[in-house]
């Protein structure tokens, strides 16, 4: 094998496959959570224990934020699986943003938010650990 062929080879990483799967899962979770916040009256009735406002936005706006973030997370997860370098950096940033959003959402659904925050931490770890230039297996 020539040195040129070795230089273009990419190292496969199970961590990136794991991160891609988790970020896709987080995206689906956020889309579903957002749809429930937008469309379900019982969901909104439970959340009104915080007087209908969650810091800056009402529950309807939080729902749309979750849907939009979920769609972007799904796109980044697909980018990670397809080996795009930009997707690793975007995944780290979006996982951090998702964790912050979930921390703001703690008063409404604390258990669900803590699960999402834990998954975000796993995603960040799985995206940082593989060597530069590696791709998902």
């Amino acid at each position: 094998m020539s040195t040129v062929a070795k230089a273009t080879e990419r190292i496969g990483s199970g961590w990136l496959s794991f991160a891609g799967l988790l970020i896709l899962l987080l995206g689906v979770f956020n889309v579903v959570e957002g749809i429930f916040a937008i469309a379900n009256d019982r969901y909104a009735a439970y959340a009104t224990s915080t007087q209908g406002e969650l810091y800056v936005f009402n529950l309807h706006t939080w729902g749309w934020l979750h849907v939009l973030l979920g769609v972007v997370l799904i796109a980044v997860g697909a980018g990670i699986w397809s080996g795009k370098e930009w997707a690793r950096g975007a995944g780290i940033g979006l996982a951090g943003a998702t964790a912050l959003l979930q921390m703001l959402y703690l008063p409404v659904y604390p258990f669900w938010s803590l699960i999402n925050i834990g998954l975000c931490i796993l995603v960040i770890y799985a995206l940082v650990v593989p060597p530069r230039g590696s791709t998902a297996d």
Side-chain angles (χ1 to χ4, degrees):
M1 186 178 294
S2 71
T3 57
V4 174
K6 281 188 178 181
T8 59
E9 273 186 33
R10 293 226 160 195
I11 302 166
S13 172
W15 278 111
L16 288 176
S17 298
F18 179 67
L21 177 66
L22 277 183
I23 208 161
L24 284 171
L25 188 64
L26 276 170
V28 171
F29 284 171
N30 275 288
V31 168
V32 169
E33 188 173 9
I35 289 171
F36 280 147
I38 293 167
N40 192 347
D41 290 337
R42 290 176 59 197
Y43 187 91
Y46 179 75
T48 55
S49 64
T50 59
Q51 298 160 348
E53 297 285 329
L54 298 175
Y55 299 104
V56 177
F57 306 116
N58 62 19
L59 193 64
H60 188 76
T61 306
W62 278 109
W64 279 110
L65 282 173
H66 279 282
V67 169
L68 292 173
L69 183 62
V71 169
V72 173
L73 284 167
I74 291 169
V76 169
I80 290 169
W81 270 358
S82 64
K84 306 294 184 203
E85 278 295 319
W86 60 265
R88 282 179 76 175
I92 292 167
L94 285 172
T98 302
L100 287 174
L101 181 66
Q102 290 297 329
M103 285 183 358
L104 293 173
Y105 213 61
L106 270 169
V108 179
Y109 286 108
F111 184 70
W112 184 247
S113 293
L114 290 174
I115 290 172
N116 278 317
I117 291 167
L119 289 175
C120 289
I121 292 168
L122 281 173
V123 165
I124 292 169
Y125 180 79
L127 289 174
V128 170
V129 167
R132 182 178 297 254
S134 59
T135 60
D137 283 340

